[in-house]
Amino acid sequence: QVQLVESGGGLVQAGGSLRLSCAASGRTFSNYAMGWFRQAPGKEREFVAGISESGSINHYTTSVLGRFTISRTNTKNTLYLQMNSLKPEDTAIYYCAASSKAVPTNRFEYEYWGQGTQVTVAL
């Protein structure tokens, strides 16, 4: 089992920044690819960014390219998502997830999930 706890969400003005964190415990964090997903009201949960076990490979959904950066510190069992130039359409609950596969973008290939943290971007 891997337990994941997100933090760092909140209310921010458009153009602002937030840094999300995801603290992992349980099984060896560095054995898992990690991902960030988000879900807005009335919409399906969507892939935002993913990172390989070592951190050497990243993937992003097109809408966040150049604005969001995913990173991890395996010695601290922590995943991050730096979000800059935030837009109202980024408003959602953000979830971190762990996968034993190679940086999947499909949510069904992630085995473990956190409880989510709310990000609200105001005009």
Side-chain angles (χ1 to χ4, degrees):
Q1 289 284 340
V2 177
Q3 291 78 42
L4 302 170
V5 179
E6 301 95 336
S7 61
L11 173 64
V12 65
Q13 296 293 315
S17 299
L18 282 175
R19 188 194 198 201
L20 304 184
S21 298
C22 173
S25 61
R27 293 187 176 177
T28 305
F29 178 66
S30 58
N31 286 348
Y32 292 88
M34 299 296 295
W36 286 100
F37 288 75
R38 64 187 180 187
Q39 187 166 17
K43 295 187 177 181
E44 290 193 356
R45 192 170 298 188
E46 65 170 352
F47 173 81
V48 175
I51 189 168
S52 62
E53 294 87 333
S54 67
S56 61
I57 300 172
N58 300 332
H59 293 301
Y60 297 92
T61 192
T62 303
S63 63
V64 308
L65 275 172
R67 300 189 299 122
F68 291 11
T69 303
I70 189 171
S71 62
R72 65 190 296 165
T73 303
N74 286 343
T75 55
K76 295 184 177 180
N77 293 341
T78 305
L79 174 73
Y80 304 98
L81 185 68
Q82 178 66 44
M83 304 186 296
N84 299 328
S85 302
L86 282 161
K87 305 175 180 179
E89 51 263 43
D90 295 318
T91 296
I93 299 174
Y94 283 71
Y95 299 89
C96 68
S99 174
S100 57
K101 300 180 187 255
V103 201
T105 59
N106 187 330
R107 62 182 178 171
F108 298 109
E109 294 186 284
Y110 284 81
E111 295 105 292
Y112 303 103
W113 292 84
Q115 83 291 348
T117 185
Q118 177 70 48
V119 171
T120 303
V121 184
L123 284 169

